[in-house]
Amino acid sequence: ILKDTVEESGRLLGADHPDTLTSRNNLATAYRAADRPNDAIPLHEETLTARTQLLGPNHPDTLTSRNNLASAYQDAGRVNDAIPLHEETLNALTRILGPNHPHTLGSRNNLATAYRAAGRLNDAIPLHEENLKALTQILGPNHPHTLTSRNNLASAYQDAGRVNDAIPLFEETLEARTRILGPNHPETLITRNNLAIAYRAAGRLNDAIPLLEETLEARTRILGPDHPDTLTSRNNLAMAYEAAGKPFRPEEQPGASA
């Protein structure tokens, strides 16, 4: 339907009419949501070119298109193509809307995530730190966006080998998500797994193993034994058992079938 809408709008209104550009962007977004970034990218490129020419590089619609194209590049593994677009978008949003506007905060997170994917942790960490500070001040420490930002910073610290900086952030995020979302919410399970992995990296196996067991039990019960997240949990627990010198018997694990 979206593809038909783009074709019909282009025929009736012209390829560069605002409504056609919006339809093209919507189709590209649908392709991304369907995990088809290589179909989305040409549409996003075409839309960005047209909006830049018609509206200028700093128009809100142009900035949206630039961000969407960068995200599609990143989805396709083209992180080095994504980074310049994210940088350009963040610079424009900071200048136009200010450093603490929600759109700016989102753009800063996108750039930090791209830097992290490219292994540029020394560039990613300051951006994550800046975002967490701003979100904590603006939204409060327990807002979902703040919790996500805290988790992102903790993950960046861990990637950089700063596990002792990561652990308190993961602990704080897990406490808040457990209290606000419940112990079995998907984001709570992700955070519990992240904290356990950090404990394991720090050699704190006696702290890691109970969290990994709890996560495996919940994912087995909620998602089923063969879900990818459950399989990841089982592998993580097996690795922790091996590191602790304990035998891992899947049939004896929480959630295993009798």
Side-chain angles (χ1 to χ4, degrees):
I1 295 175
L2 286 172
K3 188 174 182 180
D4 292 341
T5 301
V6 172
E7 293 175 354
E8 185 71 6
S9 181
R11 185 176 63 82
L12 295 174
L13 302 174
D16 294 334
H17 189 278
D19 289 350
T20 306
L21 297 179
T22 298
S23 294
R24 190 182 299 129
N25 180 76
N26 291 344
L27 176 58
T29 301
Y31 279 142
R32 273 192 67 210
D35 197 25
R36 294 171 58 180
N38 290 327
D39 291 317
I41 285 170
L43 296 174
H44 280 312
E45 290 174 332
E46 191 176 350
T47 304
L48 176 59
T49 297
R51 283 178 166 170
T52 301
Q53 292 173 347
L54 294 171
L55 303 174
N58 295 324
H59 188 279
D61 290 347
T62 307
L63 296 177
T64 297
S65 284
R66 190 179 298 122
N67 180 76
N68 290 347
L69 175 57
S71 297
Y73 280 152
Q74 198 163 338
D75 290 346
R78 295 171 57 180
V79 68
N80 290 327
D81 292 319
I83 284 173
L85 296 179
H86 281 311
E87 290 173 332
E88 189 177 353
T89 302
L90 177 58
N91 288 336
L93 288 170
T94 302
R95 185 177 67 255
I96 296 166
L97 301 176
N100 293 328
H101 188 280
H103 293 337
T104 308
L105 295 174
S107 178
R108 189 180 298 122
N109 180 74
N110 291 345
L111 176 56
T113 301
Y115 281 152
R116 190 176 152 214
R120 295 173 56 179
L121 296 170
N122 289 335
D123 293 316
I125 285 172
L127 297 181
H128 280 310
E129 289 173 335
E130 187 178 356
N131 253 23
L132 178 57
K133 180 179 178 181
L135 287 166
T136 301
Q137 291 174 343
I138 296 166
L139 301 176
N142 295 323
H143 189 279
H145 294 337
T146 308
L147 297 179
T148 296
S149 179
R150 189 179 299 121
N151 183 79
N152 290 346
L153 176 57
S155 297
Y157 280 153
Q158 188 166 348
D159 288 349
R162 296 170 56 180
V163 67
N164 290 328
D165 292 319
I167 284 172
L169 296 179
F170 280 136
E171 289 174 334
E172 189 176 353
T173 305
L174 178 59
E175 185 281 327
R177 282 180 165 166
T178 301
R179 175 167 41 83
I180 296 167
L181 302 175
N184 295 324
H185 189 279
E187 292 183 3
T188 307
L189 296 178
I190 289 170
T191 305
R192 189 181 299 123
N193 180 76
N194 289 347
L195 175 57
I197 298 302
Y199 281 152
R200 191 181 76 194
R204 295 171 56 178
L205 295 171
N206 289 335
D207 293 317
I209 287 173
L211 294 181
L212 291 170
E213 289 174 336
E214 187 178 355
T215 304
L216 175 59
E217 186 279 328
R219 283 178 166 169
T220 302
R221 175 167 41 82
I222 297 167
L223 302 174
D226 297 324
H227 189 278
D229 290 348
T230 307
L231 298 177
T232 296
S233 284
R234 189 175 296 120
N235 182 68
N236 289 341
L237 180 57
M239 291 174 64
Y241 272 23
E242 181 179 4
K246 298 174 61 175
F248 179 74
R249 299 182 176 88
E251 68 278 3
E252 296 178 3
Q253 296 312 308
S257 299

PDB file of all heavy atoms in Angstrom, residues 116 151-152 154-155 158 163 166-167 170-171 173-174 177 187-201 211-212 215 219 236:
ATOM      1  N   ARG A 116      30.182   4.030  19.217  1.00  0.00           N
ATOM      2  CA  ARG A 116      30.442   2.777  19.942  1.00  0.00           C
ATOM      3  C   ARG A 116      30.490   1.594  18.985  1.00  0.00           C
ATOM      4  O   ARG A 116      31.354   0.721  19.095  1.00  0.00           O
ATOM      5  CB  ARG A 116      29.348   2.584  20.993  1.00  0.00           C
ATOM      6  CG  ARG A 116      29.629   1.454  21.962  1.00  0.00           C
ATOM      7  CD  ARG A 116      28.555   1.368  23.032  1.00  0.00           C
ATOM      8  NE  ARG A 116      28.437   0.008  23.504  1.00  0.00           N
ATOM      9  CZ  ARG A 116      27.304  -0.564  23.886  1.00  0.00           C
ATOM     10  NH1 ARG A 116      26.185   0.122  23.876  1.00  0.00           N
ATOM     11  NH2 ARG A 116      27.286  -1.804  24.299  1.00  0.00           N
ATOM     12  N   ASN A 151      21.897   2.898  31.123  1.00  0.00           N
ATOM     13  CA  ASN A 151      22.304   1.583  30.633  1.00  0.00           C
ATOM     14  C   ASN A 151      23.295   1.716  29.483  1.00  0.00           C
ATOM     15  O   ASN A 151      24.280   0.968  29.403  1.00  0.00           O
ATOM     16  CB  ASN A 151      21.074   0.796  30.176  1.00  0.00           C
ATOM     17  CG  ASN A 151      21.413  -0.613  29.731  1.00  0.00           C
ATOM     18  OD1 ASN A 151      21.612  -1.506  30.529  1.00  0.00           O
ATOM     19  ND2 ASN A 151      21.486  -0.820  28.424  1.00  0.00           N
ATOM     20  N   ASN A 152      23.049   2.673  28.572  1.00  0.00           N
ATOM     21  CA  ASN A 152      23.950   2.872  27.437  1.00  0.00           C
ATOM     22  C   ASN A 152      25.349   3.290  27.897  1.00  0.00           C
ATOM     23  O   ASN A 152      26.359   2.826  27.363  1.00  0.00           O
ATOM     24  CB  ASN A 152      23.380   3.922  26.489  1.00  0.00           C
ATOM     25  CG  ASN A 152      22.146   3.435  25.749  1.00  0.00           C
ATOM     26  OD1 ASN A 152      21.843   2.246  25.730  1.00  0.00           O
ATOM     27  ND2 ASN A 152      21.417   4.362  25.155  1.00  0.00           N
ATOM     28  N   ALA A 154      26.686   2.690  30.850  1.00  0.00           N
ATOM     29  CA  ALA A 154      27.290   1.534  31.510  1.00  0.00           C
ATOM     30  C   ALA A 154      27.861   0.560  30.476  1.00  0.00           C
ATOM     31  O   ALA A 154      28.976   0.040  30.642  1.00  0.00           O
ATOM     32  CB  ALA A 154      26.264   0.827  32.394  1.00  0.00           C
ATOM     33  N   SER A 155      27.133   0.333  29.405  1.00  0.00           N
ATOM     34  CA  SER A 155      27.603  -0.589  28.367  1.00  0.00           C
ATOM     35  C   SER A 155      28.854  -0.051  27.682  1.00  0.00           C
ATOM     36  O   SER A 155      29.776  -0.816  27.361  1.00  0.00           O
ATOM     37  CB  SER A 155      26.495  -0.824  27.337  1.00  0.00           C
ATOM     38  OG  SER A 155      25.377  -1.454  27.932  1.00  0.00           O
ATOM     39  N   GLN A 158      31.746  -0.564  29.946  1.00  0.00           N
ATOM     40  CA  GLN A 158      32.173  -1.963  29.943  1.00  0.00           C
ATOM     41  C   GLN A 158      32.952  -2.295  28.674  1.00  0.00           C
ATOM     42  O   GLN A 158      33.975  -2.997  28.725  1.00  0.00           O
ATOM     43  CB  GLN A 158      30.967  -2.887  30.091  1.00  0.00           C
ATOM     44  CG  GLN A 158      31.352  -4.349  30.278  1.00  0.00           C
ATOM     45  CD  GLN A 158      30.197  -5.200  30.757  1.00  0.00           C
ATOM     46  OE1 GLN A 158      29.166  -4.682  31.169  1.00  0.00           O
ATOM     47  NE2 GLN A 158      30.362  -6.502  30.717  1.00  0.00           N
ATOM     48  N   VAL A 163      34.977  -1.762  33.826  1.00  0.00           N
ATOM     49  CA  VAL A 163      33.878  -2.523  34.403  1.00  0.00           C
ATOM     50  C   VAL A 163      33.486  -1.992  35.774  1.00  0.00           C
ATOM     51  O   VAL A 163      32.305  -2.036  36.154  1.00  0.00           O
ATOM     52  CB  VAL A 163      34.229  -4.026  34.453  1.00  0.00           C
ATOM     53  CG1 VAL A 163      35.349  -4.304  35.417  1.00  0.00           C
ATOM     54  CG2 VAL A 163      33.016  -4.867  34.785  1.00  0.00           C
ATOM     55  N   ALA A 166      31.113   0.657  35.218  1.00  0.00           N
ATOM     56  CA  ALA A 166      29.851   0.179  34.651  1.00  0.00           C
ATOM     57  C   ALA A 166      28.931  -0.425  35.705  1.00  0.00           C
ATOM     58  O   ALA A 166      27.706  -0.213  35.674  1.00  0.00           O
ATOM     59  CB  ALA A 166      30.130  -0.856  33.560  1.00  0.00           C
ATOM     60  N   ILE A 167      29.504  -1.173  36.641  1.00  0.00           N
ATOM     61  CA  ILE A 167      28.679  -1.947  37.584  1.00  0.00           C
ATOM     62  C   ILE A 167      27.716  -1.085  38.386  1.00  0.00           C
ATOM     63  O   ILE A 167      26.516  -1.415  38.469  1.00  0.00           O
ATOM     64  CB  ILE A 167      29.580  -2.808  38.495  1.00  0.00           C
ATOM     65  CG1 ILE A 167      30.104  -4.021  37.710  1.00  0.00           C
ATOM     66  CG2 ILE A 167      28.828  -3.280  39.743  1.00  0.00           C
ATOM     67  CD1 ILE A 167      31.147  -4.845  38.446  1.00  0.00           C
ATOM     68  N   PHE A 170      24.763  -0.146  36.154  1.00  0.00           N
ATOM     69  CA  PHE A 170      23.882  -1.289  35.895  1.00  0.00           C
ATOM     70  C   PHE A 170      23.054  -1.616  37.143  1.00  0.00           C
ATOM     71  O   PHE A 170      21.856  -1.930  37.046  1.00  0.00           O
ATOM     72  CB  PHE A 170      24.692  -2.515  35.478  1.00  0.00           C
ATOM     73  CG  PHE A 170      25.138  -2.537  34.053  1.00  0.00           C
ATOM     74  CD1 PHE A 170      26.433  -2.905  33.716  1.00  0.00           C
ATOM     75  CD2 PHE A 170      24.266  -2.220  33.024  1.00  0.00           C
ATOM     76  CE1 PHE A 170      26.853  -2.960  32.393  1.00  0.00           C
ATOM     77  CE2 PHE A 170      24.673  -2.261  31.692  1.00  0.00           C
ATOM     78  CZ  PHE A 170      25.967  -2.623  31.380  1.00  0.00           C
ATOM     79  N   GLU A 171      23.681  -1.569  38.317  1.00  0.00           N
ATOM     80  CA  GLU A 171      22.954  -1.865  39.559  1.00  0.00           C
ATOM     81  C   GLU A 171      21.820  -0.876  39.767  1.00  0.00           C
ATOM     82  O   GLU A 171      20.690  -1.260  40.125  1.00  0.00           O
ATOM     83  CB  GLU A 171      23.921  -1.831  40.747  1.00  0.00           C
ATOM     84  CG  GLU A 171      24.897  -2.991  40.780  1.00  0.00           C
ATOM     85  CD  GLU A 171      25.941  -2.864  41.872  1.00  0.00           C
ATOM     86  OE1 GLU A 171      26.247  -1.719  42.286  1.00  0.00           O
ATOM     87  OE2 GLU A 171      26.456  -3.898  42.332  1.00  0.00           O
ATOM     88  N   THR A 173      20.303   0.936  37.488  1.00  0.00           N
ATOM     89  CA  THR A 173      19.286   0.745  36.451  1.00  0.00           C
ATOM     90  C   THR A 173      18.427  -0.475  36.752  1.00  0.00           C
ATOM     91  O   THR A 173      17.198  -0.442  36.590  1.00  0.00           O
ATOM     92  CB  THR A 173      19.955   0.605  35.074  1.00  0.00           C
ATOM     93  OG1 THR A 173      20.791   1.736  34.829  1.00  0.00           O
ATOM     94  CG2 THR A 173      18.908   0.522  33.970  1.00  0.00           C
ATOM     95  N   LEU A 174      19.051  -1.563  37.197  1.00  0.00           N
ATOM     96  CA  LEU A 174      18.283  -2.773  37.506  1.00  0.00           C
ATOM     97  C   LEU A 174      17.325  -2.526  38.658  1.00  0.00           C
ATOM     98  O   LEU A 174      16.156  -2.944  38.594  1.00  0.00           O
ATOM     99  CB  LEU A 174      19.227  -3.927  37.847  1.00  0.00           C
ATOM    100  CG  LEU A 174      18.533  -5.236  38.247  1.00  0.00           C
ATOM    101  CD1 LEU A 174      17.625  -5.737  37.135  1.00  0.00           C
ATOM    102  CD2 LEU A 174      19.564  -6.297  38.624  1.00  0.00           C
ATOM    103  N   ARG A 177      14.414  -0.357  37.243  1.00  0.00           N
ATOM    104  CA  ARG A 177      13.543  -1.066  36.307  1.00  0.00           C
ATOM    105  C   ARG A 177      12.753  -2.170  37.006  1.00  0.00           C
ATOM    106  O   ARG A 177      11.587  -2.405  36.661  1.00  0.00           O
ATOM    107  CB  ARG A 177      14.369  -1.640  35.153  1.00  0.00           C
ATOM    108  CG  ARG A 177      14.754  -0.585  34.124  1.00  0.00           C
ATOM    109  CD  ARG A 177      15.558  -1.125  32.970  1.00  0.00           C
ATOM    110  NE  ARG A 177      15.591  -0.152  31.871  1.00  0.00           N
ATOM    111  CZ  ARG A 177      16.415  -0.204  30.839  1.00  0.00           C
ATOM    112  NH1 ARG A 177      17.292  -1.193  30.736  1.00  0.00           N
ATOM    113  NH2 ARG A 177      16.379   0.713  29.888  1.00  0.00           N
ATOM    114  N   GLU A 187      12.964  -5.200  29.473  1.00  0.00           N
ATOM    115  CA  GLU A 187      14.082  -4.295  29.745  1.00  0.00           C
ATOM    116  C   GLU A 187      14.742  -4.633  31.081  1.00  0.00           C
ATOM    117  O   GLU A 187      15.964  -4.464  31.234  1.00  0.00           O
ATOM    118  CB  GLU A 187      13.604  -2.846  29.709  1.00  0.00           C
ATOM    119  CG  GLU A 187      13.200  -2.383  28.317  1.00  0.00           C
ATOM    120  CD  GLU A 187      12.797  -0.930  28.266  1.00  0.00           C
ATOM    121  OE1 GLU A 187      12.888  -0.242  29.307  1.00  0.00           O
ATOM    122  OE2 GLU A 187      12.401  -0.476  27.182  1.00  0.00           O
ATOM    123  N   THR A 188      13.955  -5.098  32.038  1.00  0.00           N
ATOM    124  CA  THR A 188      14.523  -5.540  33.312  1.00  0.00           C
ATOM    125  C   THR A 188      15.406  -6.767  33.101  1.00  0.00           C
ATOM    126  O   THR A 188      16.505  -6.860  33.670  1.00  0.00           O
ATOM    127  CB  THR A 188      13.409  -5.860  34.324  1.00  0.00           C
ATOM    128  OG1 THR A 188      12.517  -4.750  34.432  1.00  0.00           O
ATOM    129  CG2 THR A 188      13.993  -6.162  35.695  1.00  0.00           C
ATOM    130  N   LEU A 189      14.934  -7.698  32.283  1.00  0.00           N
ATOM    131  CA  LEU A 189      15.721  -8.899  32.016  1.00  0.00           C
ATOM    132  C   LEU A 189      17.032  -8.557  31.316  1.00  0.00           C
ATOM    133  O   LEU A 189      18.087  -9.122  31.628  1.00  0.00           O
ATOM    134  CB  LEU A 189      14.910  -9.878  31.164  1.00  0.00           C
ATOM    135  CG  LEU A 189      13.646 -10.448  31.811  1.00  0.00           C
ATOM    136  CD1 LEU A 189      12.914 -11.361  30.831  1.00  0.00           C
ATOM    137  CD2 LEU A 189      13.977 -11.211  33.084  1.00  0.00           C
ATOM    138  N   ILE A 190      16.977  -7.617  30.378  1.00  0.00           N
ATOM    139  CA  ILE A 190      18.201  -7.194  29.685  1.00  0.00           C
ATOM    140  C   ILE A 190      19.182  -6.588  30.675  1.00  0.00           C
ATOM    141  O   ILE A 190      20.388  -6.895  30.664  1.00  0.00           O
ATOM    142  CB  ILE A 190      17.862  -6.189  28.567  1.00  0.00           C
ATOM    143  CG1 ILE A 190      17.152  -6.902  27.411  1.00  0.00           C
ATOM    144  CG2 ILE A 190      19.124  -5.489  28.061  1.00  0.00           C
ATOM    145  CD1 ILE A 190      16.579  -5.962  26.375  1.00  0.00           C
ATOM    146  N   THR A 191      18.679  -5.739  31.570  1.00  0.00           N
ATOM    147  CA  THR A 191      19.559  -5.084  32.535  1.00  0.00           C
ATOM    148  C   THR A 191      20.149  -6.098  33.506  1.00  0.00           C
ATOM    149  O   THR A 191      21.332  -6.013  33.870  1.00  0.00           O
ATOM    150  CB  THR A 191      18.802  -3.999  33.310  1.00  0.00           C
ATOM    151  OG1 THR A 191      18.208  -3.083  32.374  1.00  0.00           O
ATOM    152  CG2 THR A 191      19.720  -3.219  34.223  1.00  0.00           C
ATOM    153  N   ARG A 192      19.336  -7.063  33.946  1.00  0.00           N
ATOM    154  CA  ARG A 192      19.845  -8.076  34.860  1.00  0.00           C
ATOM    155  C   ARG A 192      20.965  -8.877  34.185  1.00  0.00           C
ATOM    156  O   ARG A 192      21.990  -9.184  34.804  1.00  0.00           O
ATOM    157  CB  ARG A 192      18.714  -9.003  35.320  1.00  0.00           C
ATOM    158  CG  ARG A 192      19.136  -9.956  36.435  1.00  0.00           C
ATOM    159  CD  ARG A 192      18.009 -10.871  36.859  1.00  0.00           C
ATOM    160  NE  ARG A 192      16.872 -10.127  37.379  1.00  0.00           N
ATOM    161  CZ  ARG A 192      15.638 -10.196  36.896  1.00  0.00           C
ATOM    162  NH1 ARG A 192      15.371 -10.999  35.888  1.00  0.00           N
ATOM    163  NH2 ARG A 192      14.669  -9.488  37.421  1.00  0.00           N
ATOM    164  N   ASN A 193      20.749  -9.197  32.908  1.00  0.00           N
ATOM    165  CA  ASN A 193      21.788  -9.912  32.166  1.00  0.00           C
ATOM    166  C   ASN A 193      23.045  -9.055  32.039  1.00  0.00           C
ATOM    167  O   ASN A 193      24.169  -9.546  32.230  1.00  0.00           O
ATOM    168  CB  ASN A 193      21.264 -10.282  30.775  1.00  0.00           C
ATOM    169  CG  ASN A 193      22.288 -11.036  29.955  1.00  0.00           C
ATOM    170  OD1 ASN A 193      22.537 -12.210  30.171  1.00  0.00           O
ATOM    171  ND2 ASN A 193      22.901 -10.346  28.999  1.00  0.00           N
ATOM    172  N   ASN A 194      22.878  -7.766  31.735  1.00  0.00           N
ATOM    173  CA  ASN A 194      24.033  -6.876  31.586  1.00  0.00           C
ATOM    174  C   ASN A 194      24.831  -6.781  32.887  1.00  0.00           C
ATOM    175  O   ASN A 194      26.073  -6.796  32.870  1.00  0.00           O
ATOM    176  CB  ASN A 194      23.569  -5.481  31.168  1.00  0.00           C
ATOM    177  CG  ASN A 194      23.049  -5.427  29.744  1.00  0.00           C
ATOM    178  OD1 ASN A 194      23.241  -6.368  28.970  1.00  0.00           O
ATOM    179  ND2 ASN A 194      22.376  -4.346  29.397  1.00  0.00           N
ATOM    180  N   LEU A 195      24.112  -6.660  34.001  1.00  0.00           N
ATOM    181  CA  LEU A 195      24.797  -6.570  35.291  1.00  0.00           C
ATOM    182  C   LEU A 195      25.551  -7.866  35.583  1.00  0.00           C
ATOM    183  O   LEU A 195      26.706  -7.842  36.059  1.00  0.00           O
ATOM    184  CB  LEU A 195      23.800  -6.268  36.402  1.00  0.00           C
ATOM    185  CG  LEU A 195      24.363  -6.261  37.833  1.00  0.00           C
ATOM    186  CD1 LEU A 195      25.502  -5.252  37.970  1.00  0.00           C
ATOM    187  CD2 LEU A 195      23.250  -5.963  38.846  1.00  0.00           C
ATOM    188  N   ALA A 196      24.916  -8.995  35.302  1.00  0.00           N
ATOM    189  CA  ALA A 196      25.569 -10.280  35.544  1.00  0.00           C
ATOM    190  C   ALA A 196      26.845 -10.411  34.714  1.00  0.00           C
ATOM    191  O   ALA A 196      27.873 -10.887  35.212  1.00  0.00           O
ATOM    192  CB  ALA A 196      24.606 -11.426  35.218  1.00  0.00           C
ATOM    193  N   ILE A 197      26.789  -9.999  33.456  1.00  0.00           N
ATOM    194  CA  ILE A 197      27.974 -10.071  32.598  1.00  0.00           C
ATOM    195  C   ILE A 197      29.077  -9.168  33.138  1.00  0.00           C
ATOM    196  O   ILE A 197      30.270  -9.509  33.102  1.00  0.00           O
ATOM    197  CB  ILE A 197      27.615  -9.696  31.148  1.00  0.00           C
ATOM    198  CG1 ILE A 197      26.579 -10.683  30.574  1.00  0.00           C
ATOM    199  CG2 ILE A 197      28.861  -9.661  30.276  1.00  0.00           C
ATOM    200  CD1 ILE A 197      27.006 -12.113  30.579  1.00  0.00           C
ATOM    201  N   ALA A 198      28.696  -8.000  33.649  1.00  0.00           N
ATOM    202  CA  ALA A 198      29.692  -7.094  34.240  1.00  0.00           C
ATOM    203  C   ALA A 198      30.311  -7.717  35.487  1.00  0.00           C
ATOM    204  O   ALA A 198      31.540  -7.636  35.693  1.00  0.00           O
ATOM    205  CB  ALA A 198      29.052  -5.748  34.557  1.00  0.00           C
ATOM    206  N   TYR A 199      29.474  -8.302  36.326  1.00  0.00           N
ATOM    207  CA  TYR A 199      30.013  -8.998  37.510  1.00  0.00           C
ATOM    208  C   TYR A 199      30.998 -10.088  37.075  1.00  0.00           C
ATOM    209  O   TYR A 199      32.074 -10.252  37.676  1.00  0.00           O
ATOM    210  CB  TYR A 199      28.880  -9.641  38.308  1.00  0.00           C
ATOM    211  CG  TYR A 199      28.080  -8.725  39.202  1.00  0.00           C
ATOM    212  CD1 TYR A 199      26.744  -9.013  39.493  1.00  0.00           C
ATOM    213  CD2 TYR A 199      28.647  -7.604  39.782  1.00  0.00           C
ATOM    214  CE1 TYR A 199      26.006  -8.194  40.330  1.00  0.00           C
ATOM    215  CE2 TYR A 199      27.912  -6.775  40.622  1.00  0.00           C
ATOM    216  CZ  TYR A 199      26.587  -7.078  40.894  1.00  0.00           C
ATOM    217  OH  TYR A 199      25.857  -6.272  41.729  1.00  0.00           O
ATOM    218  N   ARG A 200      30.623 -10.853  36.068  1.00  0.00           N
ATOM    219  CA  ARG A 200      31.493 -11.928  35.590  1.00  0.00           C
ATOM    220  C   ARG A 200      32.825 -11.370  35.090  1.00  0.00           C
ATOM    221  O   ARG A 200      33.892 -11.915  35.386  1.00  0.00           O
ATOM    222  CB  ARG A 200      30.807 -12.718  34.485  1.00  0.00           C
ATOM    223  CG  ARG A 200      31.520 -14.027  34.111  1.00  0.00           C
ATOM    224  CD  ARG A 200      30.798 -14.729  32.989  1.00  0.00           C
ATOM    225  NE  ARG A 200      31.069 -14.075  31.713  1.00  0.00           N
ATOM    226  CZ  ARG A 200      30.379 -14.297  30.593  1.00  0.00           C
ATOM    227  NH1 ARG A 200      29.356 -15.125  30.604  1.00  0.00           N
ATOM    228  NH2 ARG A 200      30.690 -13.676  29.481  1.00  0.00           N
ATOM    229  N   ALA A 201      32.764 -10.248  34.355  1.00  0.00           N
ATOM    230  CA  ALA A 201      33.987  -9.630  33.844  1.00  0.00           C
ATOM    231  C   ALA A 201      34.881  -9.136  34.976  1.00  0.00           C
ATOM    232  O   ALA A 201      36.110  -9.096  34.833  1.00  0.00           O
ATOM    233  CB  ALA A 201      33.638  -8.475  32.908  1.00  0.00           C
ATOM    234  N   LEU A 211      22.127 -14.057  39.251  1.00  0.00           N
ATOM    235  CA  LEU A 211      21.405 -13.203  38.306  1.00  0.00           C
ATOM    236  C   LEU A 211      21.210 -13.916  36.980  1.00  0.00           C
ATOM    237  O   LEU A 211      20.134 -13.818  36.365  1.00  0.00           O
ATOM    238  CB  LEU A 211      22.173 -11.899  38.083  1.00  0.00           C
ATOM    239  CG  LEU A 211      22.299 -10.951  39.269  1.00  0.00           C
ATOM    240  CD1 LEU A 211      23.064  -9.698  38.865  1.00  0.00           C
ATOM    241  CD2 LEU A 211      20.923 -10.558  39.809  1.00  0.00           C
ATOM    242  N   LEU A 212      22.217 -14.627  36.531  1.00  0.00           N
ATOM    243  CA  LEU A 212      22.092 -15.365  35.279  1.00  0.00           C
ATOM    244  C   LEU A 212      21.073 -16.488  35.399  1.00  0.00           C
ATOM    245  O   LEU A 212      20.301 -16.746  34.466  1.00  0.00           O
ATOM    246  CB  LEU A 212      23.461 -15.929  34.872  1.00  0.00           C
ATOM    247  CG  LEU A 212      24.502 -14.883  34.443  1.00  0.00           C
ATOM    248  CD1 LEU A 212      25.874 -15.517  34.303  1.00  0.00           C
ATOM    249  CD2 LEU A 212      24.094 -14.215  33.136  1.00  0.00           C
ATOM    250  N   THR A 215      17.636 -14.863  35.308  1.00  0.00           N
ATOM    251  CA  THR A 215      17.294 -14.418  33.957  1.00  0.00           C
ATOM    252  C   THR A 215      16.932 -15.600  33.068  1.00  0.00           C
ATOM    253  O   THR A 215      15.959 -15.543  32.297  1.00  0.00           O
ATOM    254  CB  THR A 215      18.467 -13.636  33.341  1.00  0.00           C
ATOM    255  OG1 THR A 215      18.809 -12.542  34.198  1.00  0.00           O
ATOM    256  CG2 THR A 215      18.107 -13.093  31.963  1.00  0.00           C
ATOM    257  N   ARG A 219      13.309 -16.053  31.252  1.00  0.00           N
ATOM    258  CA  ARG A 219      13.208 -16.104  29.795  1.00  0.00           C
ATOM    259  C   ARG A 219      12.681 -17.449  29.317  1.00  0.00           C
ATOM    260  O   ARG A 219      11.905 -17.503  28.347  1.00  0.00           O
ATOM    261  CB  ARG A 219      14.581 -15.820  29.174  1.00  0.00           C
ATOM    262  CG  ARG A 219      14.943 -14.344  29.212  1.00  0.00           C
ATOM    263  CD  ARG A 219      16.325 -14.045  28.654  1.00  0.00           C
ATOM    264  NE  ARG A 219      16.484 -12.618  28.412  1.00  0.00           N
ATOM    265  CZ  ARG A 219      17.643 -12.032  28.122  1.00  0.00           C
ATOM    266  NH1 ARG A 219      18.752 -12.761  28.042  1.00  0.00           N
ATOM    267  NH2 ARG A 219      17.709 -10.722  27.914  1.00  0.00           N
ATOM    268  N   ASN A 236      25.325 -17.798  28.512  1.00  0.00           N
ATOM    269  CA  ASN A 236      25.989 -16.940  29.502  1.00  0.00           C
ATOM    270  C   ASN A 236      26.157 -17.657  30.842  1.00  0.00           C
ATOM    271  O   ASN A 236      27.202 -17.556  31.495  1.00  0.00           O
ATOM    272  CB  ASN A 236      25.195 -15.649  29.701  1.00  0.00           C
ATOM    273  CG  ASN A 236      25.269 -14.718  28.511  1.00  0.00           C
ATOM    274  OD1 ASN A 236      26.167 -14.842  27.668  1.00  0.00           O
ATOM    275  ND2 ASN A 236      24.335 -13.788  28.428  1.00  0.00           N
TER     276      ASN A 236
END
